[in-house]
Amino acid sequence: MNTDLGCLPDLSFALISDRRALAEALYRRLTTPRGGLFYAPDYGDDLREMLLARLDDSALFAWKARIEQECMRDDRVDSVQADLT
């Protein structure tokens, strides 16, 4: 069993495990800018960059690939499929 400190939604720091721990880890991974952690320069890809970006089909395809690749970097993830519209 994987146990971690939860921090969503209110920084309560309750102990969480299993799917909840993985979900929060992926959330942090997808909201941390690449290079934002000095000790892990290859960690993260901040999805919030998409909010104001112009997204055509090729941009959506590129973001889909980025999301899937970033999630696959977590050893607990066996497969992932992102859907963007």
Side-chain angles (χ1 to χ4, degrees):
M1 179 169 66
N2 180 31
T3 303
D4 201 352
L5 285 176
C7 61
L8 298 173
D10 59 1
L11 297 177
S12 63
F13 297 110
L15 286 178
I16 58 173
S17 60
D18 300 325
R19 285 185 170 197
R20 175 70 188 258
L22 176 58
E24 288 198 23
L26 293 176
Y27 169 81
R28 288 188 300 272
R29 183 174 283 280
L30 294 173
T31 57
T32 299
R34 179 65 48 101
L37 302 175
F38 71 90
Y39 55 87
D42 293 331
Y43 177 93
D45 200 351
D46 195 350
L47 297 180
R48 294 171 293 188
E49 292 176 21
M50 285 192 311
L51 293 177
L52 297 176
R54 301 193 94 166
L55 299 174
D56 56 15
D57 287 342
S58 63
L60 283 174
F61 182 79
W63 270 102
K64 176 185 181 329
R66 287 172 62 173
I67 292 166
E68 291 171 350
Q69 289 170 359
E70 192 61 37
C71 289
M72 288 302 296
R73 290 182 180 179
D74 190 303
D75 294 337
R76 296 167 290 181
V77 174
D78 294 326
S79 66
V80 64
Q81 181 179 343
D83 291 316
L84 302 176
T85 55

